[in-house]
mmCIF file of all heavy atoms in Angstrom:
data_model
loop_
_atom_site.group_PDB
_atom_site.id
_atom_site.type_symbol
_atom_site.label_atom_id
_atom_site.label_comp_id
_atom_site.label_asym_id
_atom_site.label_seq_id
_atom_site.Cartn_x
_atom_site.Cartn_y
_atom_site.Cartn_z
ATOM 1 N N PHE A 65 86.591 110.033 138.251
ATOM 2 C CA PHE A 65 86.128 111.256 137.609
ATOM 3 C C PHE A 65 85.411 110.963 136.305
ATOM 4 O O PHE A 65 85.665 109.955 135.649
ATOM 5 C CB PHE A 65 87.320 112.161 137.273
ATOM 6 C CG PHE A 65 88.084 112.627 138.463
ATOM 7 C CD1 PHE A 65 89.184 111.936 138.900
ATOM 8 C CD2 PHE A 65 87.689 113.767 139.142
ATOM 9 C CE1 PHE A 65 89.893 112.372 139.985
ATOM 10 C CE2 PHE A 65 88.397 114.204 140.234
ATOM 11 C CZ PHE A 65 89.509 113.503 140.664
ATOM 12 N N TYR A 66 84.568 111.924 135.919
ATOM 13 C CA TYR A 66 84.010 111.959 134.564
ATOM 14 C C TYR A 66 84.481 113.268 133.947
ATOM 15 O O TYR A 66 84.585 114.270 134.649
ATOM 16 C CB TYR A 66 82.476 111.948 134.617
ATOM 17 C CG TYR A 66 81.868 110.581 134.740
ATOM 18 C CD1 TYR A 66 82.118 109.790 135.841
ATOM 19 C CD2 TYR A 66 81.045 110.076 133.749
ATOM 20 C CE1 TYR A 66 81.561 108.529 135.948
ATOM 21 C CE2 TYR A 66 80.473 108.821 133.851
ATOM 22 C CZ TYR A 66 80.736 108.060 134.963
ATOM 23 O OH TYR A 66 80.173 106.822 135.068
ATOM 24 N N PHE A 67 84.786 113.254 132.655
ATOM 25 C CA PHE A 67 85.308 114.486 132.067
ATOM 26 C C PHE A 67 84.828 114.675 130.645
ATOM 27 O O PHE A 67 84.304 113.759 130.013
ATOM 28 C CB PHE A 67 86.840 114.478 132.102
ATOM 29 C CG PHE A 67 87.457 113.472 131.175
ATOM 30 C CD1 PHE A 67 87.944 113.853 129.937
ATOM 31 C CD2 PHE A 67 87.541 112.152 131.531
ATOM 32 C CE1 PHE A 67 88.509 112.929 129.080
ATOM 33 C CE2 PHE A 67 88.097 111.219 130.673
ATOM 34 C CZ PHE A 67 88.578 111.611 129.449
ATOM 35 N N ASP A 68 85.014 115.913 130.143
ATOM 36 C CA ASP A 68 84.761 116.260 128.742
ATOM 37 C C ASP A 68 86.088 116.553 128.086
ATOM 38 O O ASP A 68 86.941 117.197 128.680
ATOM 39 C CB ASP A 68 83.948 117.564 128.635
ATOM 40 C CG ASP A 68 82.526 117.377 129.063
ATOM 41 O OD1 ASP A 68 82.092 116.231 129.210
ATOM 42 O OD2 ASP A 68 81.860 118.405 129.260
ATOM 43 N N LEU A 69 86.239 116.146 126.850
ATOM 44 C CA LEU A 69 87.464 116.483 126.126
ATOM 45 C C LEU A 69 87.122 116.714 124.667
ATOM 46 O O LEU A 69 86.492 115.879 124.026
ATOM 47 C CB LEU A 69 88.476 115.333 126.230
ATOM 48 C CG LEU A 69 89.760 115.478 125.419
ATOM 49 C CD1 LEU A 69 90.524 116.698 125.861
ATOM 50 C CD2 LEU A 69 90.617 114.251 125.571
ATOM 51 N N LYS A 70 87.521 117.895 124.149
ATOM 52 C CA LYS A 70 87.302 118.173 122.732
ATOM 53 C C LYS A 70 88.601 118.688 122.168
ATOM 54 O O LYS A 70 89.115 119.702 122.609
ATOM 55 C CB LYS A 70 86.223 119.249 122.558
ATOM 56 C CG LYS A 70 84.834 118.742 122.792
ATOM 57 C CD LYS A 70 83.845 119.819 122.385
ATOM 58 C CE LYS A 70 82.449 119.607 122.924
ATOM 59 N NZ LYS A 70 82.151 118.467 123.716
ATOM 60 N N THR A 71 89.134 117.980 121.185
ATOM 61 C CA THR A 71 90.336 118.480 120.546
ATOM 62 C C THR A 71 90.481 117.864 119.159
ATOM 63 O O THR A 71 89.867 116.851 118.857
ATOM 64 C CB THR A 71 91.573 118.161 121.393
ATOM 65 O OG1 THR A 71 92.714 118.677 120.748
ATOM 66 C CG2 THR A 71 91.767 116.679 121.551
ATOM 67 N N ASP A 72 91.315 118.508 118.340
ATOM 68 C CA ASP A 72 91.596 117.999 117.010
ATOM 69 C C ASP A 72 93.086 117.755 116.904
ATOM 70 O O ASP A 72 93.879 118.688 117.065
ATOM 71 C CB ASP A 72 91.162 119.026 115.959
ATOM 72 C CG ASP A 72 91.394 118.525 114.551
ATOM 73 O OD1 ASP A 72 91.675 117.321 114.386
ATOM 74 O OD2 ASP A 72 91.299 119.332 113.612
ATOM 75 N N LEU A 73 93.469 116.516 116.664
ATOM 76 C CA LEU A 73 94.894 116.182 116.697
ATOM 77 C C LEU A 73 95.564 116.258 115.340
ATOM 78 O O LEU A 73 96.735 115.964 115.215
ATOM 79 C CB LEU A 73 95.076 114.763 117.258
ATOM 80 C CG LEU A 73 94.732 114.627 118.729
ATOM 81 C CD1 LEU A 73 94.752 113.166 119.111
ATOM 82 C CD2 LEU A 73 95.718 115.367 119.576
ATOM 83 N N LYS A 74 94.812 116.666 114.297
ATOM 84 C CA LYS A 74 95.418 116.630 112.956
ATOM 85 C C LYS A 74 96.641 117.521 112.765
ATOM 86 O O LYS A 74 97.538 117.131 112.045
ATOM 87 C CB LYS A 74 94.361 116.957 111.901
ATOM 88 C CG LYS A 74 93.667 115.708 111.400
ATOM 89 C CD LYS A 74 93.174 115.852 109.996
ATOM 90 C CE LYS A 74 91.751 116.343 109.874
ATOM 91 N NZ LYS A 74 90.729 115.795 110.699
#
Side-chain angles (χ1 to χ4, degrees):
Chain A
F65 297 94
Y66 276 62
F67 69 99
D68 288 347
L69 175 61
K70 285 189 196 359
T71 181
D72 182 12
L73 292 172
K74 269 208 268 315

